[in-house]
Amino acid sequence: MSIFNLKQPRSAPSTHTGVLGWLMNHLFSSKTNTALSLFSLYLLYLIVPPLLDWMIFSADFSEKTNTECTRNAACWFYINEKMSLFMYGLYPSEEYWRPNLLIAITLTFVLAVRLLKHQIYRHKVTLSLFVIYPFVAFFLLYGSDFLGIKIVETNYWGGLMLTVVVAAVGIVASFPIGIFLALGRQSKMKTIRWLSIAYIELIRGIPLITILFMASVMLPLFFTEGIDFDKLLRALIGITLFQTAYIAEVIRGGLQAVPRGQYEAADAAGLSFTQKMFFIILPQALKISIPNIVGSFIALFKDTTLVLIVGIFDMLAIAELATTDADWLGRKTEGIVFVAMVIWVLLYLMSRYSKTLEKRFNTEH
Amino acid sequence: MFSFLYNNKIRFILFQVIAVLLVTYVAYYAVNNLNYNIERLGIRSGFGFLDIKAGFDIAEHFIAYTSESTNLGAFYVGLTNTIVVSIIGIIFASVLGLIIGVARLSNNYLISKLAETYVEIFRNIPILLQILFWYNLMLISLPLPRNSYDFFNGIFLNLRGIYLPKPIAETGFSWVIIAFLLGVFICFFVKWFFNKKHDETGVKHRTWGYYLASLLGLPLSVYLLLGSPIHFDYPALQGFNFTGGLSFSPEFLAIVAALSIYSATYISEAIRAGIESVDKGQKEAALAMGLTQRQTLKFVLLPQALRVAIPPIINQYLNLTKNSSLAAAIGYADLVGVFSGTVLNQVGQAIEIILMTMAVYLTLSLVISLGLNVVNYRMRIVGANE
């Protein structure tokens, strides 16, 4: 009886393993592929070196005046010099602690909610914080004579702080109205359904900029003499009117995704319309639409840059404003690039977050 | 006593009446205040301002306009500028989006990563920021007219914009257009004829040769027979600037660049989603049935991919058209810039002007969503009942 000696397998040829194998497989597997790879390398060669050169290698990071700074590349000290402007706008510097404190409070709230294990407590705490928080934020940022906090008028607000405020107010204010509109669109009552549809489709058909124009120019004309809105408030009203229509559509998607059986079971259990909606349907519909709500928030965050057109100094407007400083003429590119990077990072994180939410809520197999 | 409140029918009516009353009251309150405020502030009302002389110049217009024209003329200039920017933006965005979308699915690691990076970078930067960025980049990096970049000895790019040779039709060119229309007509006839033949005999004919001949060959031969009735007006440097030719301002270039680069990210994602939505089995089944690669692509894969991809793409066209209103931020003379900007500042009739602007955008989006509905209808999966 002979015993077969198993032959050791030969190792794969070097063109199929390791770095070389990877390259052969992914970049140079055919003639077209090679051509494409070379083309993209050329593209990278065209774009990346000059960009890196402008941003890093030739750029000036040290403390210099505008004239001493290099002309052919970025002068990042300019950003350093204008940092508080980019972050807080014209907010008085001795009051910077207020927005900072607000950030700290926000983070504490979020952490506190996270740490609460018990579901019921968690919901109650979240809900009450949700109600208290806007007031805290308002009194901290705007101030109040009654509480002895110095009032800072909204025309001093600006920068990233304002961008965040506009986006946050837009999403929070549009949420409840959006729910009602979404319910209205689904309603069996014809007039209510048609009114909701008319509003939603009307708003979705026109660009935000015309709504902002309307809010800033026409709004005061619609109210009795003496009722005067602050410029920021007008823009916020415009943005809320706009965002409401989009949120309503997102929530409608959620409502439609709730299985029919849920509606029927709630009816069969003898729940009233309000009970059915608030205890059975909406919790499920909202959960389904959370990723899309985050997506809609991302879109809103991008759209907040438009407020610069009605004369409000969000971060992008600051990039334009800061270059009017006679000491720093001709540094607009640095400002725009800096703002782009900040907003990009924020939006990228948000879109990653929405992707993880989508995965977490996707219970299908 | 109040038991009737629990009757569903009565409730329905009650709620609707309340809703209507509420809306009517808000409208009444607003209009009432509006009338009062208009009188108090001495604002004129009505559309009479449209016939008044505009009195300002618009740098870029594709239809006849001088400062002697009326405000209505300015409105039309803004409208055409908006439409021109949107159409050119849509063309570039579609081409770029298609390239990026396909590149993203490439087996080539470098190409797909490059496309992914492109999408991640430009999708997460607000469009207004991109418009300002490209505009600023053009202003600081383009040369003065004296040193303009010259492409193909006739296209000039400088700080004042891009200058192209302008084709000018001579007498007799209308015959070429008539020939082209005739060609289109012949195409329909050819299609009808060969479809009929296919139905009768089952033999499929190649038709693209006829299409090519009637769409390109016919007009071209008429064009050559008439002795090329077209000439080009080349831009030429005169003093400090170019004159003649067809020119587009840097504002125009910046807005087109930003709109197409931004929208291309969304279009590419739609195309990718469309291609990925077609099950692998479809391709394998088609090949197993003996269809060629080309037939598989044409009759099996593309129709299914397009059904998923086209609705979001048309939505992006709509968004692009709406986003073109941001051109006002860099002073391009689009509808918002000219009409809601300059004319509004001169006349001060905010209500009429903003309502007209909104009506225009609403019409544009209604037209585009009508197109979307038609496309959806034609692409629907035809069920057994039909």
Side-chain angles (χ1 to χ4, degrees):
Chain A
M1 226 171 86
S2 60
I3 296 172
F4 285 106
N5 272 328
L6 195 65
K7 251 189 176 172
Q8 282 302 312
R10 264 187 296 171
S11 60
S14 63
T15 50
H16 284 75
T17 54
V19 180
L20 193 65
W22 188 89
L23 281 177
M24 288 303 281
N25 256 331
H26 289 92
L27 298 183
F28 304 106
S29 55
S30 68
K31 270 181 196 160
T32 6
N33 241 344
T34 313
L36 283 174
S37 303
L38 291 178
F39 172 72
S40 28
L41 281 177
Y42 177 67
L43 219 60
L44 283 175
Y45 167 75
L46 280 186
I47 298 166
V48 176
L51 200 67
L52 285 182
D53 191 56
W54 186 85
M55 280 179 74
I56 299 167
F57 299 126
S58 299
D60 229 325
F61 290 90
S62 51
E63 192 176 334
K64 280 176 183 166
T65 62
N66 193 15
T67 39
E68 287 165 9
C69 233
T70 169
R71 275 283 135 198
N72 303 321
C75 177
W76 293 121
F77 183 67
Y78 160 70
I79 300 296
N80 203 11
E81 187 80 356
K82 299 282 176 192
M83 189 54 97
S84 54
L85 204 56
F86 277 114
M87 291 298 134
Y88 307 100
L90 300 171
Y91 211 78
S93 56
E94 66 274 10
E95 308 287 340
Y96 282 167
W97 62 272
R98 282 154 56 173
N100 293 344
L101 181 63
L102 188 64
I103 294 172
I105 291 176
T106 315
L107 291 178
T108 325
F109 276 4
V110 172
L111 213 67
V113 171
R114 282 260 146 152
L115 288 178
L116 275 175
K117 287 262 163 53
H118 206 291
Q119 277 286 329
I120 297 174
Y121 286 137
R122 196 164 156 176
H123 285 309
K124 280 188 178 154
V125 170
T126 317
L127 205 66
S128 46
L129 287 185
F130 209 67
V131 175
I132 300 169
Y133 185 77
F135 294 99
V136 175
F138 176 77
F139 286 124
L140 255 183
L141 291 183
Y142 184 73
S144 125
D145 285 332
F146 179 69
L147 294 173
I149 307 173
K150 198 177 140 202
I151 288 183
V152 180
E153 291 295 335
T154 53
N155 41 351
Y156 293 106
W157 299 19
L160 184 60
M161 180 188 108
L162 187 86
T163 303
V164 174
V165 165
V166 172
V169 171
I171 198 84
V172 172
S174 61
F175 204 74
I177 316 174
I179 291 180
F180 276 106
L181 273 176
L183 288 177
R185 200 173 175 160
Q186 301 265 303
S187 171
K188 286 189 197 108
M189 295 177 247
K190 270 205 179 115
T191 33
I192 291 181
R193 189 168 70 232
W194 283 107
L195 282 174
S196 309
I197 291 178
Y199 178 82
I200 292 171
E201 293 306 327
L202 199 77
I203 295 287
R204 274 157 40 100
I206 49 182
L208 175 57
I209 182 172
T210 55
I211 298 178
L212 282 175
F213 265 128
M214 186 194 79
S216 74
V217 185
M218 279 163 70
L219 202 63
L221 295 177
F222 286 135
F223 289 89
T224 40
E225 201 182 342
I227 300 184
D228 200 15
F229 294 108
D230 168 87
K231 201 155 65 174
L232 178 63
L233 186 60
R234 286 185 212 169
L236 286 177
I237 291 175
I239 282 198
T240 309
L241 286 178
F242 178 77
Q243 185 65 12
T244 303
Y246 287 83
I247 287 283
E249 281 301 273
V250 166
I251 293 174
R252 177 171 78 120
L255 284 175
Q256 280 173 340
V258 176
R260 269 192 79 82
Q262 297 288 327
Y263 289 85
E264 287 162 2
D267 284 336
L271 298 184
S272 73
F273 177 80
T274 331
Q275 285 171 327
K276 176 174 79 173
M277 278 304 162
F278 282 90
F279 297 126
I280 310 291
I281 307 299
L282 272 179
Q284 298 184 64
L286 289 182
K287 188 182 152 191
I288 296 169
S289 35
I290 281 177
N292 287 332
I293 291 173
V294 177
S296 161
F297 182 70
I298 291 173
L300 176 67
F301 198 85
K302 278 198 267 187
D303 282 339
T304 53
T305 45
L306 265 64
V307 295
L308 88 87
I309 291 173
V310 289
I312 290 168
F313 289 103
D314 79 317
M315 215 181 170
L316 186 53
I318 295 286
E320 301 260 302
L321 177 80
T323 45
T324 55
D325 182 350
D327 290 342
W328 290 101
L329 286 177
R331 293 295 176 189
K332 201 166 162 182
T333 322
E334 281 87 341
I336 292 181
V337 170
F338 172 69
V339 174
M341 287 195 291
V342 171
I343 293 186
W344 187 86
V345 168
L346 290 175
L347 285 170
Y348 186 74
L349 291 178
M350 279 190 254
S351 66
R352 287 282 113 170
Y353 181 61
S354 105
K355 285 247 171 68
T356 51
L357 280 181
E358 229 164 287
K359 266 192 202 133
R360 197 193 308 164
F361 288 126
N362 186 8
T363 42
E364 279 174 31
H365 291 289
Chain B
M1 181 182 168
F2 288 108
S3 62
F4 70 90
L5 275 179
Y6 292 97
N7 183 326
N8 259 346
K9 254 186 198 161
I10 292 179
R11 260 194 183 196
F12 269 34
I13 294 169
L14 205 65
F15 276 133
Q16 300 193 48
V17 167
I18 291 174
V20 170
L21 282 181
L22 211 67
V23 171
T24 327
Y25 174 71
V26 169
Y28 170 76
Y29 175 80
V31 170
N32 210 13
N33 283 325
L34 189 65
N35 284 333
Y36 172 74
N37 282 325
I38 282 176
E39 223 165 277
R40 180 173 63 92
L41 299 170
I43 304 173
R44 266 172 301 159
S45 59
F47 288 93
F49 73 94
L50 288 174
D51 300 325
I52 299 172
K53 201 180 84 171
F56 59 89
D57 253 325
I58 299 175
E60 203 157 23
H61 48 86
F62 299 100
I63 55 174
Y65 178 86
T66 58
S67 56
E68 296 294 309
S69 304
T70 58
N71 282 326
L72 189 63
F75 171 77
Y76 285 137
V77 168
L79 183 59
T80 40
N81 280 352
T82 291
I83 292 175
V84 167
V85 154
S86 306
I87 290 177
I88 295 184
I90 283 174
I91 293 171
F92 279 116
S94 308
V95 173
L96 198 60
L98 183 68
I99 294 173
I100 303 286
V102 173
R104 207 146 170 211
L105 291 169
S106 165
N107 292 328
N108 190 312
Y109 181 81
L110 213 53
I111 290 275
S112 71
K113 275 291 156 196
L114 217 63
E116 194 186 332
T117 318
Y118 171 89
V119 171
E120 288 296 346
I121 287 179
F122 288 105
R123 198 172 50 169
N124 285 330
I125 298 177
I127 174 77
L128 183 58
L129 214 164
Q130 293 193 35
I131 292 172
L132 293 176
F133 175 78
W134 292 115
Y135 185 51
N136 177 52
L137 195 67
M138 277 174 196
L139 288 191
I140 58 172
S141 62
L142 288 179
L144 288 171
R146 239 175 313 127
N147 318 319
S148 18
Y149 299 122
D150 183 358
F151 305 100
F152 313 114
N153 253 332
I155 300 176
F156 298 97
L157 182 65
N158 62 44
L159 203 55
R160 302 277 173 83
I162 191 164
Y163 292 81
L164 310 164
K166 184 182 189 178
I168 292 178
E170 288 164 19
T171 48
F173 186 72
S174 48
W175 286 107
V176 179
I177 297 175
I178 291 172
F180 177 75
L181 292 178
L182 193 69
V184 172
F185 180 72
I186 291 174
C187 277
F188 279 114
F189 176 74
V190 165
K191 188 173 180 206
W192 170 80
F193 181 75
F194 281 107
N195 272 351
K196 209 177 101 181
K197 222 165 177 189
H198 179 226
D199 287 346
E200 282 166 1
T201 61
V203 181
K204 201 138 177 83
H205 286 268
R206 280 172 181 259
T207 47
W208 61 266
Y210 296 97
Y211 291 152
L212 212 64
S214 52
L215 280 182
L216 271 179
L218 192 65
L220 203 67
S221 43
V222 170
Y223 174 77
L224 291 174
L225 271 178
L226 289 173
S228 314
I230 205 166
H231 74 270
F232 284 96
D233 177 21
Y234 283 95
L237 188 62
Q238 262 187 4
F240 290 113
N241 208 354
F242 279 86
T243 52
L246 191 63
S247 66
F248 295 101
S249 63
E251 290 84 13
F252 181 89
L253 296 182
I255 182 92
V256 166
L259 282 178
S260 30
I261 287 175
Y262 180 76
S263 303
T265 62
Y266 288 94
I267 291 176
S268 76
E269 287 290 277
I271 287 173
R272 183 173 74 117
I275 295 176
E276 279 185 340
S277 74
V278 183
D279 196 89
K280 208 169 68 181
Q282 294 284 329
K283 185 183 176 186
E284 290 165 356
L287 290 175
M289 296 261 298
L291 269 66
T292 63
Q293 287 276 0
R294 240 183 67 102
Q295 286 172 326
T296 309
L297 195 68
K298 190 174 163 195
F299 297 119
V300 180
L301 300 183
L302 270 185
Q304 298 188 60
L306 288 181
R307 182 177 296 132
V308 176
I310 282 189
I313 289 177
I314 293 182
N315 242 331
Q316 277 315 309
Y317 291 166
L318 180 57
N319 278 344
L320 190 146
T321 311
K322 285 197 282 178
N323 280 336
S324 74
S325 60
L326 298 178
I330 53 171
Y332 177 70
D334 83 320
L335 185 65
V336 171
V338 167
F339 202 57
S340 299
T342 320
V343 174
L344 177 60
N345 283 338
Q346 289 202 346
V347 186
Q349 289 184 244
I351 316 279
E352 288 87 350
I353 288 176
I354 288 178
L355 284 184
M356 271 175 83
T357 314
M358 284 182 169
V360 166
Y361 281 104
L362 213 55
T363 318
L364 284 179
S365 46
L366 279 181
V367 167
I368 294 179
S369 32
L370 211 67
L372 178 63
N373 282 344
V374 171
V375 169
N376 275 343
Y377 178 75
R378 296 199 56 164
M379 291 186 124
R380 78 203 184 282
I381 300 172
V382 181
N385 315 336
E386 291 176 71

